[in-house]
Amino acid sequence: MSGTDNFDDLRDLYQEVILDHGRHPRHAQRLQTFDATAKGDNPMCGDRVQVWVKYDGDRLDHVGFEARGCAISVASADLMAETVQGRAKADTKALFEAFRTMARTGACPDCGGALAEPLERLAPLSGVHEYPSRVKCATLPWHALIAALDGTKEASSE
Amino acid sequence: MNVMTNPAALDVERIRADFPILTQTIRGKKLVFLDSAASAQKPRAVIDAMVNAMETQYANVHRGLHWMSERTTESFEGCRDAAAALMNARDRSEIVFTGNSTGAINLLAHSYGRGILKPGQAVLISGMEHHSNIVPWQLLREDRGIELRVAPVTDAGELDMAAFEALLQDAKVGLVAMTHMSNVLGTVTPAERIVQVAHAHGAKVMFDGSQAIVHRKVDVQALDCDFYVWTGHKLYGPTGIGVLWARRELLEAMPPFFGGGDMISSVTYEKSTWAEVPHKFEAGTPAILEGIGLKAAIDYVQAIGYDALAAHEASLTEHALARLATVPDLRIIGQAQDRGGVVSFVLGKAHAHDVATLLDRQGIAVRAGHHCAEPLMHRFGLDSTARASFGVYTTHAEIDALADGLVRVRDFFA
Ligand SMILES: Cc1ncc(COP(=O)(O)O)c(C=O)c1O
């Protein structure tokens, strides 16, 4: 292809942020010390993720993950780790619910509220709503995280 | 690919005009449909046949004594004749209609597997089966203690014939159940040779022809196999109808699977007797409209002819292999000598789902995933591949679009 191809037609789902986090995830590591961990498995496409959490009281002090899967699932895991760090457990669950709605519908009814800031950081993933079969790629790491918070060992995407 | 390449034998543009869907645009781009191995598009003749039947003659079959039922029975049963001719069956009664290939294989696993095979015997499949030719035999194993053996696949993606033969040596294998063409690798298996070797060791042979019958002339008498299954929706027909062909004497020996209306001769509370084959295996109201549609699909394929179909497919496959070889970082999975119009590949480190989504953005439909063949994926150390597959309406220009689209995906991820 010529050097002038700026791939405009490919960018609605694969925005630069997603490509970047998919290629160079910052939080893709197993934590040496952790309080909770859980795996997520999407047998339909072979995506697999494990999430580790270290608490500081009621807060998530540190989140790390290992993922094998598509760019969307890796980027989503990384953005998730970034946005939940320092957040209270209950807050994290609320964020997941709001994110799931965004991933499924593209709409963000909670974007004006208390979670506006983290949701904005997750917004690049909202493009998956146009690809129903890919929504679970974005939500799988979250399912694993919530399973870890709830003390269950395995989550599978819906 | 030793098939004579003579694309002129098939006028693709004329054929494309028969498929209304091909004028669709997807995301503002002309549809490039390269997912026919999952399910093929339908020609106007099939659509019209089904609509016509509903508009002019529809009624239940085999039971009404009125004009409508008789006309519909005639059209539906016409499909049995067409299917028998398509496969060169000895007799139309050897064609059993099922829901799809999966239904046909399950029927066989129940009626032949539980009715005729004995505990201690084995079923031998290959390492490149679709889940639908794995799981029914696993269920049989759990239920009846019938062993399941797997003949390995070589690095090139071909059946390891020496290993296959070795697995037959102890004469415990009662049935070889094997794909005639892999839906992942495109490999066409050496069917005649498989039958010779299996029969020499006392095993019957079933072929899963879901992919093969779309591209190759299948002659069950020349193959000398015992069972052959396929599914209508991949042969340009509707969903919901498939075929189990079996030698008549085998069908007669096999107990029925489903019980109900249409499959009986008489019923009392003490005892029921079965209808003649094939009806013994067709309980309940059949897929009437689908049968009528499938008849039209078979007629459509026969009018084009398998020589032209095979030549077109060989030419497309050759072109695809050559063009895809020029895409940097692309690796084709499966290098069988004898292969059909299905090409699986991986593109550098990109996940197959990302590749498929980014091709979709360019209007190109391919399939990505494990293609219902997880053990085969694992054999090649993969979780998934992207797969392009071709049909009678596929053009060389569409393959060029795929190759160009893949170069863009590769550069996008670079
Ligand atoms: C080789 C092979 N076998 C079996 C099947 C199952 O076909 P169906 O889903 O119509 O039963 C398919 C298609 O999905 C196939 O490609």
Side-chain angles (χ1 to χ4, degrees), chain B residues 222-244:
Chain B
L223 280 179
D224 197 32
C225 57
D226 304 288
F227 307 97
Y228 198 101
V229 309
W230 54 282
T231 191
H233 66 97
K234 294 185 203 278
L235 192 73
Y236 313 104
T239 51
I241 188 160
V243 168
L244 164 67

Side-chain angles (χ1 to χ4, degrees), chain A residues 5 14 23 45 71 131 134, chain B residues 353-354 357 361 383 408 413:
Chain A
D5 188 345
Y14 293 86
R23 247 187 314 236
C45 62
Y131 302 83
R134 304 299 304 277
Chain B
H353 284 185
D354 295 321
T357 297
R361 289 306 307 176
D383 286 321
R408 292 190 72 221
F413 272 124

Side-chain angles (χ1 to χ4, degrees), chain A residues 1 5 7 9-14 19 23 43-48 68-72 130-131 134, chain B residues 27 29 351 353-355 357-358 360-362 369-370 374 378 383-384 404 407-409 411-414:
Chain A
M1 277 287 134
D5 188 345
F7 303 112
D9 55 333
L10 305 183
R11 287 203 188 273
D12 66 331
L13 178 53
Y14 293 86
L19 287 180
R23 247 187 314 236
M44 283 311 289
C45 62
D47 282 356
R48 228 160 277 168
R68 201 175 66 188
C70 64
I72 303 294
E130 272 196 61
Y131 302 83
R134 304 299 304 277
Chain B
R27 304 185 195 286
K29 303 195 175 163
H351 193 282
H353 284 185
D354 295 321
V355 173
T357 297
L358 288 164
D360 176 64
R361 289 306 307 176
Q362 304 174 67
H370 54 52
E374 274 190 73
H378 296 156
D383 286 321
S384 58
D404 292 344
V407 170
R408 292 190 72 221
V409 173
D411 291 349
F412 182 63
F413 272 124

